[in-house]
Amino acid sequence: ALKRAHSGISLSELEASVASPFTSRTPNISCVPSLIREGRAALITSFCVFKFMALYSIIQYISVTLLYSIYSNLGDFQFLFIDIAIILLIVFTMSLNPAWKELVSCRPPSGLISGPLLFSVLTQILICLGFQTITFLWVQQQPWYEVWTPLTDVCNQSSYVNVSDHNDTEVDDHNIQNFENTSLFYVSCFQYLIVAIVFSKGKPFRQPTYKNLPFVASALSLYFFLLFIMFHPVKGIDEFLEIVCVPFEWRVKLFLITVVNAAVSVLVETFILDIVLWKLVFSRDKQGSFGVTPAAPTPQGGIDLWGYKCLSWLCCPRKMTPKARYMHLAQELSVDPDWPPKPTTTTEAKPRPENGSTYQIMLNS
């Protein structure tokens, strides 16, 4: 611009040439809240999918470990049904929740290794472990329980024959078909759906789960299918999935186990984590992390801060100094009395001389 000033152009042309690069590139501020809402929704969706995939592997690991104790395992088609019919269908649909329509003031978790996320995953792991262990031990205490063989008929239904093409000389080398396998298969399949629904959170960053129609349709279809094969055994499906017939009263007990499992999971995730810990511990004002303390802390605030420090030390102990470079700079600037710096120099241009063609730029300190 200074070179063009020396060539004798007018002041208005110079001002237009200087201002045009900035005015032409001014961003549309109205779209910023929408971008923040979409970004937060995408972040929460990533966390939900991560937690679900972590619980999927842990739930399957628990089932296999319990069956290994009796020298059994899940069948090949049971693995196939879980991986394709349940996991893939749920993963592809649980991430379709749109962003919440309003931008809220609270912020989502900023990393995978955080207190709320670790607490959520660990509690759900313990819940799934507890109910699978109860199922595994309880089925062995039933009065009708015996080591399953191809000729076992505890259902007292002569029309339902699991072994129409078997004889007493055939032996299952992998010991797939047994009462423990069938019971854990039913309970674990319901647990996959339970944690998927529990982790598919909506407000305040995403739309409610019931507005995600593909996910709702997928979950309901899988629930109906599992309930159907559990309460109305079909010979072809049972042979394909390598599950055996169990008495009706045990099927009712399995259903009650899944209902209690779902209630406990929802209670822990929505009440204890979202209401108690999130509001009292994890959603603490971040000013305390940057050296700024409230003017007059209340007794309840002191208790909450003490709980936050204790839980942070137990869940994810770390140094008080932030690791991120920008957070470290923000911490330094928050206690710097000379920031932001005051302007000490002004730049101005004198009016154009009447009989000259150049401008003079003056710096006043």
Side-chain angles (χ1 to χ4, degrees), residues 101-235:
K101 53 187 177 182
E102 297 177 359
L103 182 62
V104 295
S105 58
C106 60
R107 294 180 299 176
S110 58
L112 291 176
I113 309 302
S114 60
L117 191 143
L118 291 178
F119 182 84
S120 175
V121 172
L122 290 177
T123 52
Q124 295 300 323
I125 290 175
L126 294 177
I127 292 172
C128 294
L129 173 62
F131 281 97
Q132 285 202 44
T133 305
I134 291 174
T135 303
F136 180 79
L137 298 177
W138 198 9
V139 68
Q140 297 176 351
Q141 305 301 321
Q142 298 303 307
W144 47 265
Y145 175 81
E146 61 183 18
V147 178
W148 189 89
T149 62
L151 297 179
T152 301
D153 183 18
V154 297
C155 296
N156 296 325
Q157 295 177 356
S158 57
S159 59
Y160 185 87
V161 182
N162 297 356
V163 290
S164 58
D165 298 329
H166 292 77
N167 53 58
D168 54 356
T169 61
E170 287 187 336
V171 178
D172 184 7
D173 295 332
H174 300 285
N175 192 24
I176 301 299
Q177 292 182 311
N178 50 66
F179 297 120
E180 292 88 349
N181 174 283
T182 300
S183 301
L184 289 180
F185 174 75
Y186 283 135
V187 173
S188 63
C189 286
F190 281 109
Q191 285 181 342
Y192 298 128
L193 300 177
I194 290 171
V195 296
I197 295 175
V198 167
F199 290 153
S200 297
K201 297 181 180 179
K203 190 177 179 180
F205 304 111
R206 301 198 306 169
Q207 293 288 339
T209 304
Y210 62 83
K211 291 189 177 182
N212 187 354
L213 297 181
F215 175 75
V216 173
S218 302
L220 290 178
S221 301
L222 290 170
Y223 268 119
F224 285 133
F225 177 78
L226 290 174
L227 291 174
F228 174 76
I229 65 175
M230 186 169 66
F231 286 102
H232 190 275
V234 179
K235 180 181 177 181

Side-chain angles (χ1 to χ4, degrees), residues 333-345:
L333 295 177
S334 64
V335 296
D336 188 359
D338 297 330
W339 181 264
K342 298 179 180 180
T344 58
T345 303

Side-chain angles (χ1 to χ4, degrees), residues 4-63:
R4 296 182 62 183
H6 285 283
S7 62
I9 63 173
S10 63
L11 179 61
S12 60
E13 294 177 354
L14 177 62
E15 291 176 349
S17 64
V18 172
S20 59
F22 300 96
T23 57
S24 61
R25 299 178 184 178
T26 302
N28 185 9
I29 302 179
S30 62
C31 67
V32 173
S34 177
L35 292 176
I36 297 176
R37 289 189 294 106
E38 295 293 340
R40 288 181 172 182
L43 181 63
I44 294 299
T45 300
S46 301
F47 289 161
C48 291
V49 175
F50 168 78
K51 292 195 294 183
F52 174 71
M53 295 305 295
L55 261 295
Y56 147 66
S57 59
I58 295 297
I59 291 173
Q60 197 169 86
Y61 173 78
I62 294 172
S63 301

